[in-house]
Amino acid sequence: MTTTLNGNLLIGATSIPGTGPAIRAFNPATGEQVEPGFASATVADVARACTLAEQAFDTYRATAPDARATFLETIAQNIIDIGPELIERAMLESGLPQPRLEGERGRTVGQLRLFAKVIRDGHFLGAALDSALPERTPPRPDLRLRKIALGPVAVFGASNFPLAFSVAGGDTASALAAGCPVVVKAHEAHPGTSELVARAVQKAVASCGLPEGVFSLLHGDGRTIGQALVANPAIKAVGFTGSRQGGLALVRSAAQRDEPIPVYAEMSSVNPMFLLPEALAQGGAKIGTGFVDSLTLGAGQFCTNPGLVIALSGPALETFITAASTALQAKAGATMLTPGIHAAFNAGVAKLAAEPGVTPVARGLAGTTVHAGQAALFVTDAATFIANPKLEDEIFGAAALIVRCDDISQFHQLAEHIDGQLTASLFVTDTDKALAQALLPALERKAGRVLVNGFPTGVEVSHAMVHGGPFPATSDSRSTSVGAAAIDRFLRPVSYQDFPEWLLPTALKDENPLNLWRVRNGELAQS
């Protein structure tokens, strides 16, 4: 299937030429502009998309779970049907290699299909029943509970995942699964990729007979169009993946509304690795090379990029540093996603190198493309790290800091000192058992996912995955942006008291059509 990009806004069922300044993608490998231009939305366009979403909401949220599941599966198939054109355009706009993008397309489709299964199962509704107890003093009324969709959701496409965290990515998939219409603000770095995917969603809306306002796509600057989108009263929640600065700007806007709304922003994380003494002694060189592979994957442009290594000073750590340095020096610089990201990476590396008490230990090979990032590795000591908050700042790209600890007590100090993280990794052997057990409570408080003897890059889309964590990793540590539980962000509970059977929602009727858990007289039983 070949689609001609026209650079239009997709508002509901229509394709509308924007009247704002044109946005053009750049090929990050060459620095050249990529045609066509994509005209920015106006504030009026934002209002139109939000109004359509609001008008579609009650009809869409009332669709049967099977109908919504079919809709998600139709989007997935439509994305597959785009064929090579989607991968080619994404390569052109992102500089990412074909295998990576083909894998990301598979993940995007897999997310949509996972949420189709989640809503067919029905347990996402959290339905429950407390039967009436008229003989009790005081009497208990008949109480039934289910979760309903929150309302239209604004989703902001991410720079580093043009498919899996973008137009039809996890935020959109989970919001649509919950019964929420979605208005997407495309990322400026990959507008063509966004249009191709958006047309696949728009086509699914039409073929499934859903209200047109279930989905819209807007182009424009985040500081104007994005803020207008978050401020619109029809929007009831926001999904965002990006910088801390951008995420906090949206949080502030959402909090200043007459009706504040939740912003689920994934922002920054350095994903510390704790190398416990015996694990380091037994496998320092192997861990060092594996760490560099994880650090440089995708030019280091993963939210779970391991940017901090904590270990006890001594010969075993020096073995690790030597192995990591050797591996890093053989890594050619890979193309970064945008000129801005490349410039910010270089500035971050230069800033870290200039900090007192920080020593550069290795650099990767220079890349051959215009915006290639040259990997960097630094070392400092625990006292310096604790005294200088700047050393924990995320550098988005393949740069990491090794922290030497003088004794075991500094492991505990650092575990308590670090900010909230998406991940924290422990490298252990059975001999490290006591220290690992002692560190785990702090790491549970600091991270959304704790790994043992593994590297954090790679986020499985599954029921048990958490991709979230305490601030500043995210703006809401109670949620995840990846995995089946992501749907909970866009639902809220409603209790129904003494409803006649004919007025009850289908999920709560006496015949229990969705086979959900019920609570009777304080006892749980599955019908």
Side-chain angles (χ1 to χ4, degrees):
M1 185 173 101
T2 300
T3 303
T4 301
L5 296 172
N6 58 26
N8 285 354
L9 311 172
L10 302 182
I11 299 180
T14 59
S15 178
I16 301 171
T19 58
I23 293 171
R24 281 182 170 80
F26 284 84
N27 182 333
T30 65
E32 297 172 339
Q33 281 191 338
V34 180
E35 295 295 335
F38 293 78
S40 298
T42 64
V43 173
D45 294 323
V46 174
R48 173 62 177 159
C50 292
T51 297
L52 284 174
E54 186 174 41
Q55 292 169 349
F57 175 50
D58 278 335
T59 300
Y60 180 58
R61 75 180 180 90
T63 54
D66 186 66
R68 285 212 300 280
T70 298
F71 171 48
L72 295 177
E73 290 165 343
T74 302
I75 296 172
Q77 188 58 52
N78 288 351
I79 290 171
I80 293 295
D81 289 345
I82 298 170
E85 181 185 8
L86 178 60
I87 303 301
E88 291 165 3
R89 182 71 192 196
M91 290 172 63
L92 192 65
E93 293 182 331
S94 69
L96 296 171
Q98 181 176 338
R100 152 70 194 273
L101 287 166
E102 289 175 341
E104 191 180 330
R105 178 178 58 188
R107 173 176 169 165
T108 305
V109 169
Q111 289 174 157
L112 290 159
R113 291 172 176 162
L114 171 67
F115 283 110
K117 291 179 181 178
V118 167
I119 56 179
R120 278 203 178 97
D121 173 85
H123 287 88
F124 77 100
L125 292 170
L129 166 63
D130 285 320
S131 299
L133 296 175
E135 72 284 358
R136 195 189 71 177
T137 303
R140 184 174 77 188
D142 182 276
L143 293 168
R144 307 183 188 213
L145 177 144
R146 69 165 178 165
K147 296 176 183 177
I148 69 168
L150 201 57
V153 173
V155 171
F156 289 75
S159 64
N160 58 336
F161 283 87
L163 299 174
F165 280 80
S166 193
V167 173
D171 288 342
T172 296
S174 53
L176 291 175
C180 299
V182 172
V183 180
V184 174
K185 210 291 284 181
H187 197 279
E188 298 94 315
H190 36 78
T193 305
S194 297
E195 182 183 322
L196 290 172
V197 175
R199 288 186 178 278
V201 181
Q202 188 185 55
K203 181 181 177 183
V205 171
S207 65
C208 292
L210 299 173
E212 63 169 319
V214 166
F215 176 81
S216 292
L217 174 77
L218 304 172
H219 297 285
D221 180 76
R223 288 181 294 274
T224 53
I225 298 308
Q227 293 290 350
L229 184 56
V230 174
N232 190 285
I235 297 298
K236 301 303 180 185
V238 177
F240 172 86
T241 299
S243 68
R244 189 188 307 190
Q245 179 183 7
L248 291 181
L250 297 181
V251 169
R252 287 191 292 269
S253 294
Q256 290 167 2
R257 290 173 30 140
D258 291 339
E259 177 199 4
I261 59 173
V263 175
Y264 299 105
E266 183 208 307
M267 298 179 291
S268 63
S269 180
V270 294
N271 306 298
M273 291 172 40
F274 289 80
L275 312 184
L276 274 56
E278 189 59 29
L280 188 62
Q282 291 187 18
K286 183 178 179 181
I287 298 170
T289 55
F291 155 68
V292 168
D293 287 341
S294 181
L295 172 68
T296 58
L297 186 66
Q301 298 168 120
F302 283 77
C303 343
T304 52
N305 178 45
L308 184 64
V309 178
I310 296 163
L312 193 65
S313 291
L317 178 55
E318 297 312 308
T319 296
F320 168 88
I321 292 173
T322 298
S325 298
T326 300
L328 191 79
Q329 288 163 355
K331 295 286 186 180
T335 301
M336 302 196 76
L337 292 158
T338 69
I341 289 173
H342 179 243
F345 171 75
N346 287 338
V349 168
K351 180 180 176 183
L352 183 57
E355 291 290 343
V358 174
T359 303
V361 293
R363 292 299 302 265
L365 297 171
T368 58
T369 60
V370 175
H371 298 111
Q374 188 177 2
L377 186 61
F378 301 86
V379 67
T380 191
D381 60 83
T384 300
F385 183 82
I386 290 171
N388 186 351
K390 296 177 183 178
L391 299 187
E392 200 177 342
D393 289 347
E394 179 188 30
I395 298 175
F396 189 63
L401 178 64
I402 299 168
V403 180
R404 289 189 173 106
C405 295
D406 294 331
D407 51 45
I408 294 300
S409 68
Q410 288 188 329
F411 273 84
H412 296 281
Q413 285 182 270
L414 288 166
E416 295 292 347
H417 172 79
I418 57 174
D419 289 334
Q421 306 291 334
L422 293 173
T423 75
S425 303
L426 283 168
F427 282 80
V428 304
T429 67
D430 290 346
T431 307
D432 297 306
K433 178 179 177 180
L435 178 55
Q437 290 174 330
L439 287 173
L440 183 57
L443 300 185
E444 288 175 326
R445 285 187 277 107
K446 296 288 185 171
R449 176 164 57 112
V450 183
L451 300 83
V452 171
N453 295 337
F455 300 99
T457 41
V459 182
E460 180 69 23
V461 180
S462 67
H463 289 268
M465 176 53 66
V466 170
H467 190 61
F471 183 86
T474 70
S475 58
D476 189 333
S477 64
R478 299 166 296 176
S479 64
T480 176
S481 63
V482 176
I487 195 173
D488 292 333
R489 297 173 297 168
F490 306 119
L491 296 166
R492 67 175 182 86
V494 175
S495 185
Y496 301 80
Q497 182 170 329
D498 287 334
F499 266 52
E501 177 74 9
W502 56 266
L503 190 55
L504 279 169
T506 300
L508 300 181
K509 289 184 181 296
D510 286 338
E511 63 267 28
N512 192 22
L514 298 180
N515 193 33
L516 302 177
W517 288 93
R518 291 171 179 253
V519 183
R520 292 182 184 275
N521 300 326
E523 294 185 3
L524 287 171
Q526 192 171 27
S527 302

